[in-house]
């Protein structure tokens, strides 16, 4: 079990209210074991999280966060939507009707007729599922920073030409 005195030393350190003697005592305590350092790091993460949480909303938004959201989610949604449209369109084909009763000799303009051989609910389900998979793949691609590797590869190839 941890001594409350050590936790008080850690909290004074993070709040900036420690004296030089308390600072030295904290350093000595940290040098005693790796468990003490692990506890210190855990409290540090919690302290920083609480500090960020107390910031006003407009200070939490940074240029990097906005760019990250636009690139990851915006591009992912766009690709997912495009894949969904592509799937829906791939189940539909068009037939040009040349002659019928109203246009017996084919003189009037031709008319496009949409022919669906697949039920509508299957089209919606497939387009939704495949669009979602594409969306998640794009988000994973950006979250793992793979786009930076691709971008560096493209730049390298352009410079080598």
């Amino acid at each position: 079990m941890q001594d409350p005195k050590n936790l008080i030393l850690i909290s004074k350190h993070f709040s900036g209210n420690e004296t030089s003697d308390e600072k030295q005592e904290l350093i000595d305590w940290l040098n005693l074991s790796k468990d003490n350092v692990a506890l210190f790091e855990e409290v540090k993460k919690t302290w920083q999280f609480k500090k960020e949480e107390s910031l006003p909303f407009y200070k939490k938004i940074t240029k990097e966060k906005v760019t990250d959201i636009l690139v990851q989610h915006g591009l992912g949604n766009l690709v997912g939507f495009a894949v969904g449209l592509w799937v829906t369109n791939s189940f539909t084909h068009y037939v040009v009707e040349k002659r019928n009763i109203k246009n017996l000799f084919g003189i009037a303009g031709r008319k496009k007729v949409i022919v669906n051989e697949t039920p509508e609910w299957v089209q919606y389900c497939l387009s939704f599922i495949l669009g979602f998979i594409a969306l998640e793949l794009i988000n994973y691609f950006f979250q793992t920073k793979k786009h930076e590797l691709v971008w560096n590869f493209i730049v390298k190839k352009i410079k080598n030409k």
Side-chain angles (χ1 to χ4, degrees):
M1 180 136 186
Q2 288 296 327
D3 185 12
K5 183 180 178 186
N6 296 329
L7 295 175
I8 291 170
L9 286 174
I10 293 172
S11 66
K12 283 186 175 185
H13 173 73
F14 290 131
S15 65
N17 297 333
E18 66 183 340
T19 64
S20 58
D21 292 336
E22 290 172 335
K23 185 174 187 174
Q24 187 58 44
E25 192 176 343
L26 179 66
I27 292 170
D28 293 339
W29 177 76
L30 288 173
N31 291 332
L32 286 177
S33 74
K34 290 184 180 183
D35 292 335
N36 295 346
V37 175
L39 176 67
F40 179 80
E41 291 299 323
E42 186 178 333
V43 172
K44 182 178 178 181
K45 286 179 188 175
T46 306
W47 191 278
Q48 288 174 341
F49 178 74
K50 290 292 184 184
K51 190 176 177 183
E52 273 186 21
E53 209 173 63
S54 66
L55 288 174
F57 180 72
Y58 67 90
K59 288 190 178 179
K60 290 180 186 178
I61 298 176
T62 63
K63 184 178 179 182
E64 292 80 22
K65 284 184 182 179
V66 171
T67 304
D68 186 47
I69 289 170
L70 288 178
V71 169
Q72 282 184 11
H73 298 289
L75 189 60
N77 290 340
L78 179 66
V79 170
F81 180 72
V83 168
L85 285 176
W86 172 74
V87 168
T88 302
N89 196 30
S90 66
F91 284 103
T92 304
H93 65 275
Y94 298 94
V95 177
V96 177
E97 188 178 278
K98 296 180 182 179
R99 293 187 183 151
N100 63 14
I101 298 295
K102 294 179 182 175
N103 187 13
L104 190 58
F105 299 107
I107 298 173
R110 296 178 178 175
K111 181 169 85 173
K112 270 189 179 179
V113 178
I114 301 173
V115 179
N116 283 329
E117 296 172 351
T118 309
E120 201 172 303
W121 66 271
V122 172
Q123 290 179 25
Y124 286 131
C125 289
L126 280 174
S127 63
F128 179 76
I129 291 168
L130 290 177
F132 179 75
I133 290 170
L135 167 91
E136 289 302 315
L137 286 174
I138 294 296
N139 285 340
Y140 172 77
F141 183 74
F142 281 108
Q143 286 175 351
T144 57
K145 306 289 185 196
K146 303 267 190 231
H147 65 285
E148 293 173 357
L149 295 172
V150 172
W151 181 254
N152 291 336
F153 177 77
I154 291 170
V155 169
K156 190 176 177 182
K157 286 292 184 182
I158 291 173
K159 286 183 180 179
N160 288 339
K161 284 185 180 186

